[in-house]
Amino acid sequence: MAVKVQIPTPMRPHTGNLPTVDVSAATAGEALRELCKLHPAMEQRLFDNGQLRRFVNIFINDEDIRYLENLDTKIKDSDDLAIIPAVAGG
Amino acid sequence: MSTSFVRGMKCRLCAKIYPVTPVNFCQDDFGPLEIDYDYDAIRAVLSKEKLEARSFNMWRYQELLPTDGEPTVGLHVGGTPLVKACRLGQALGFNNLWVKNDAVNFPTLSFKDRVVAVALSKAKEFGLTTVGCASTGNLANSVASIAASAGLKSFIFIPADLEKAKVLGTSVYGAQVIGVKGTYDEVNRLCTQVAFKYGWGFVNINLRPFYAEGSKSMGFEIAEQLGWRTPAQVVVPMAGGALIGKISKGFHELHRIGLLHDAPTTKFFGAQASGCSPISTAVKNGWDSHRPVRKPNTICKSLAIGDPADGYFAGKLIRESGGWAEDVSDDEIRDAMILLAQTEGIFAETAGGVTVAAAMKLLQQGKMDADAETVLCITGNGLKTSEAMANKVPEPVVIGTSLQEFEAIHQGHREPALA
Ligand SMILES: Cc1ncc(COP(=O)(O)O)c(C=O)c1O
Ligand SMILES: [Zn+2]
């Protein structure tokens, strides 16, 4: 499945300043791994010992994957996946 | 007076230092950024005498706030009463109780004016002209009001189903108000995308490190009003979970710069509504981090944040301070609002009901000490959530203008002192 991964502005130095990165993946986790393959600097920023870091939230078409199936959440063709910093609001 | 004692911004996870810019998270691990001060330099210049000679508002603690120069907006925020609450104490069973009353904070009647005064002073320093927020209501009022007074344009995003008074009390200031069909957390996610795309100053997103510092002033004031000491117990309502942590930080900073003789040992107690209680549920279950609540359902809309940004830190503080957390039902909230009104003459919003009801519950459970000096943080005004009181208070008796009509509804009871 073709997915567009949205990169938050302050993280774009790690994706060669790309605001979105196109990958092909069947699940949210796979999409992030593909992103990290293309832009290895993202790996340690998103993951800590294979776990998504505490202050990173992942949304597929505006739905938080924690309310779906986390990194196993299935992706449909042309879905949007957004990486959103969790330190906001209140 | 030059007042900047800020050294930079520091990641709360990896301690990496960043220059002061409108950004809220670490580019290495997404961790929250926090202002880093030169406390030794502050200690050298700030004395009780110097501070006590200043006006009683939040800016008397200016050295411990992150503005570069003199603050430019929200100059009269803070300086709210700390009320000895004997009658409420008696009703609840606390023998040494105080209420910190931010229901009368200026200009918009909630503690949020404290955070906004700092965030928008900072927005002006950064040269921003458009500001905004994602809000459960009180922040909306405050950003709209203070932005108007500062001549800033504001975009305010709220869940579309907020209380009428909170919506009106935002629109009246000329803000562009956007009601989003979704939960607060959905509004917040949208705003995070908007903030970085448009570069506006969202007080609780890219300006969040500065915003959060404003809450410390509630702690500074409590300690000063008690005569430069900290209370044994504090009860704080929690939404994003920032306020509770910043009150604690405020206490510790006063000690660090030498204004408090003893190191604070305050126990922190967090209060939430049962219809949205991610933090208190995590504390009660011994979980390290909260589990987000997808669809909050409570009359206390101001605290209805299902995925609190500071949930992890709030839970940690509560546990490590020896405190606890509790959540209360909508009926308990309403009853507690009435109890506070009828014992202390303070009409607080639903979040105040949450705080009072949680304190009562924690005391009954033996989690709080009846004899220890206790401060309840009342953070918002009841006139903004009057819907919650529908059918809870009697309608007035309506009569004609004659004495007979009055006496038809009232018999006896002349003032004994004058009889
Ligand atoms: C009246 C009131 N009290 C308390 C809070 C909680 O503050 P925090 O989000 O910092 O936990 C809020 C926040 O929205 C509020 O509106
Ligand atoms: Zn970091």
Side-chain angles (χ1 to χ4, degrees):
Chain A
M1 310 297 143
V3 197
K4 249 190 200 345
V5 181
Q6 274 180 41
I7 311 296
T9 315
M11 287 293 181
R12 290 182 196 163
H14 309 308
T15 57
N17 287 321
L18 290 176
T20 59
V21 175
D22 293 310
V23 299
S24 171
T27 64
E30 210 177 298
L32 293 176
R33 279 194 300 277
E34 288 300 309
L35 167 72
C36 295
K37 264 190 214 155
L38 294 169
H39 301 283
M42 288 303 288
E43 170 79 35
Q44 59 170 24
R45 295 185 162 84
L46 291 172
F47 294 98
D48 183 20
N49 280 325
Q51 296 281 335
L52 205 55
R53 287 185 183 275
R54 186 187 298 282
F55 292 99
V56 182
N57 288 338
I58 304 295
F59 292 78
I60 292 178
N61 301 336
D62 301 334
E63 184 66 276
D64 191 324
I65 60 166
R66 286 173 298 174
Y67 301 128
L68 302 168
E69 287 160 70
N70 287 306
L71 292 175
D72 295 331
T73 305
K74 303 261 184 313
I75 285 178
K76 296 185 309 306
D77 214 23
S78 70
D79 273 355
D80 279 316
L81 185 151
I83 301 171
I84 307 275
V87 194
Chain B
M1 182 173 50
S2 166
T3 55
S4 188
F5 295 90
V6 172
R7 292 196 297 204
M9 302 202 291
K10 191 178 191 173
C11 174
R12 290 183 79 176
L13 299 185
C14 73
K16 181 167 172 176
I17 304 280
Y18 288 82
V20 173
T21 55
V23 66
N24 53 324
F25 64 93
C26 174
Q27 280 141 54
D28 282 353
D29 54 19
F30 289 84
L33 300 184
E34 188 173 34
I35 310 300
D36 186 34
Y37 298 89
D38 183 348
Y39 292 111
D40 293 334
I42 298 174
R43 190 185 179 108
V45 299
L46 194 57
S47 64
K48 282 182 200 170
E49 293 67 38
K50 190 165 168 183
L51 204 148
E52 283 166 359
R54 299 175 180 169
S55 305
F56 189 49
N57 61 57
M58 67 180 281
W59 296 108
R60 74 206 250 112
Y61 314 97
Q62 191 175 339
E63 286 83 352
L64 292 164
L65 295 170
T67 48
D68 270 343
E70 291 291 321
T72 52
V73 300
L75 301 184
H76 305 282
V77 175
T80 60
L82 182 71
V83 179
K84 182 89 209 186
C86 298
R87 282 171 44 78
L88 177 64
Q90 208 159 40
L92 297 178
F94 285 99
N95 301 318
N96 191 355
L97 188 69
W98 300 87
V99 166
K100 176 62 173 168
N101 188 9
D102 264 21
V104 293
N105 202 6
F106 179 84
T108 67
L109 308 176
S110 87
F111 93 96
K112 291 291 186 184
D113 291 326
R114 299 177 184 276
V115 291
V116 174
V118 176
L120 295 192
S121 284
K122 221 50 215 174
K124 289 209 94 165
E125 287 179 11
F126 290 131
L128 303 174
T129 56
T130 302
V131 296
C133 65
S135 174
T136 57
N138 286 307
L139 185 62
N141 297 167
S142 189
V143 171
S145 159
I146 298 181
S149 74
L152 297 166
K153 192 170 169 47
S154 64
F155 283 84
I156 312 284
F157 294 71
I158 51 174
D161 66 348
L162 280 194
E163 296 95 339
K164 269 203 191 106
K166 286 194 176 150
V167 178
L168 176 72
T170 309
S171 309
V172 74
Y173 301 109
Q176 172 77 56
V177 183
I178 298 137
V180 178
K181 290 183 229 154
T183 63
Y184 173 80
D185 297 292
E186 291 172 312
V187 177
N188 189 37
R189 192 262 307 138
L190 171 61
C191 286
T192 303
Q193 291 169 305
V194 172
F196 286 108
K197 175 148 191 183
Y198 291 88
W200 298 337
F202 273 71
V203 302
N204 51 352
I205 299 174
N206 47 351
L207 296 173
R208 197 170 193 272
F210 314 101
Y211 152 103
E213 290 294 286
S215 291
K216 293 190 307 191
S217 65
M218 199 162 177
F220 297 150
E221 289 177 13
I222 290 169
E224 184 181 351
Q225 285 168 309
L226 286 174
W228 297 110
R229 54 194 177 73
T230 51
Q233 309 181 117
V234 177
V235 187
V236 187
M238 303 184 294
L243 174 64
I244 192 168
K246 295 299 172 177
I247 291 174
S248 167
K249 185 179 180 193
F251 289 169
H252 285 279
E253 285 184 341
L254 291 181
H255 178 248
R256 177 124 183 224
I257 64 163
L259 297 187
L260 293 181
H261 185 267
D262 299 316
T265 53
T266 308
K267 293 182 178 177
F268 281 83
F269 295 87
Q272 296 204 290
S274 300
C276 182
S277 59
I279 307 177
S280 64
T281 301
V283 169
K284 291 195 281 185
N285 286 294
W287 301 335
D288 218 29
S289 20
H290 67 270
R291 302 192 184 160
V293 173
R294 188 182 193 175
K295 297 273 179 226
N297 179 16
T298 167
I299 56 163
C300 187
K301 297 180 182 187
S302 59
L303 299 182
I305 296 183
D307 189 18
D310 279 292
Y312 166 73
F313 295 111
K316 189 163 182 279
L317 165 68
I318 289 167
R319 280 192 305 274
E320 290 176 358
S321 72
W324 198 244
E326 200 36 279
D327 46 83
V328 294
S329 70
D330 286 355
D331 281 336
E332 290 172 311
I333 294 169
R334 290 192 192 94
D335 289 344
M337 287 167 74
I338 288 178
L339 182 67
L340 177 62
Q342 299 189 356
T343 52
E344 296 301 332
I346 294 171
F347 185 20
E349 72 142 81
T350 46
V354 167
T355 302
V356 171
M360 174 157 40
K361 225 169 180 172
L362 289 160
L363 184 63
Q364 283 162 2
Q365 293 168 356
K367 301 279 189 199
M368 291 187 77
D369 177 353
D371 295 318
E373 185 165 61
T374 302
V375 175
L376 306 184
C377 292
I378 298 302
T379 51
N381 194 293
L383 293 172
K384 295 196 201 184
T385 59
S386 52
E387 287 104 309
M389 287 288 98
N391 309 320
K392 276 304 271 193
V393 291
E395 292 292 323
V397 181
V398 177
I399 60 170
T401 57
S402 72
L403 182 59
Q404 278 142 319
E405 286 205 46
F406 173 65
E407 289 184 334
I409 57 135
H410 180 84
Q411 292 91 36
H413 188 75
R414 295 183 62 185
E415 184 56 65
L418 299 181

